[in-house]
Each structure stands twice: as C-alpha cells, then as structure tokens.
Amino acid sequence: MNKQQLAAKIWESANRMRSKIEANEYKDYILGFIFYKFLSEKEYHWLLNNDYEPEDIKNYVNEDDPETLKNVQQSLGYFIAYENLFSTWIEIGSDFSID
C-alpha cells in the first residue's frame, strides 16, 4: 500500500466514523481524543518511569488509592484512573460503549 492509498483509506475511515457529524465539527471530537490519548500515554509512561509495573498500574491506579492519586496529580497536574486510560479503552475493542 502506497502513501496515497493509505491516505485514502484513512480519509474513508474518518468519514465513516464521523457519520452524521458535520466535517467542521468532527475536528473538535478528534482533537479532543488525540489530546486525551496524549495525556493517557504521558501518565502511563510517567508511572512506568516511577517504578510502577504494568500490573501495578492496572491494580493501583484508581481513585481508591489516595497516595498514587496525589503523587500523579502533584507531578503531572492531572490524574486518569487505569480504567479510563486511552489504552484501556483500546483493549476493550469492539465492546467499547460510551456508557
């Protein structure tokens, strides 16, 4: 697949995903998702660099662990629980629901 074919495929997928959303509104949703993905990945990598193992992240990065919540918030300025990380959403796959 060359670059033009790839670009056409991406454009086709984007059009299918945006469905009834107007093209000029679609960018608002996509940019939000891209930013959310960036924040999620930044937090995940910060946790890994601060001695958390992937299994620790899964088990302890939530609102029920005040120490982790406070450490992440103080270091990054925000906190995203494991269940709400972008990568967790991707793992859910086709079962993903806005609910």
Side-chain angles (χ1 to χ4, degrees):
M1 178 180 289
N2 64 32
K3 285 184 182 181
Q4 287 179 327
Q5 292 170 321
L6 178 60
K9 194 72 160 168
I10 292 171
W11 188 256
E12 177 188 339
S13 298
N15 278 331
R16 237 185 289 140
M17 285 186 343
R18 83 176 165 88
S19 180
K20 296 182 191 256
I21 300 171
E22 293 297 320
N24 60 342
E25 295 173 355
Y26 183 64
K27 70 177 175 358
D28 298 332
Y29 296 97
I30 291 301
L31 291 175
F33 273 119
I34 291 170
F35 185 61
Y36 194 74
K37 181 178 187 282
F38 167 78
L39 292 176
S40 293
E41 288 177 355
K42 183 175 179 179
E43 180 177 321
Y44 190 82
H45 290 295
W46 182 88
L47 290 164
L48 291 176
N49 290 331
N50 285 277
D51 300 326
Y52 284 81
E53 296 295 324
E55 196 62 33
D56 296 334
I57 294 170
K58 188 173 187 175
N59 293 325
Y60 301 113
V61 178
N62 57 56
E63 285 89 3
D64 297 333
D65 184 358
E67 185 179 332
T68 300
L69 190 147
K70 184 179 177 182
N71 287 339
V72 174
Q73 280 183 332
Q74 286 180 340
S75 297
L76 297 177
Y78 65 93
F79 174 80
I80 303 170
Y82 171 78
E83 66 184 13
N84 295 318
L85 290 172
F86 191 87
S87 57
T88 306
W89 290 358
I90 296 302
E91 286 177 18
I92 293 171
S94 62
D95 294 338
F96 176 74
S97 169
I98 197 69
D99 297 334

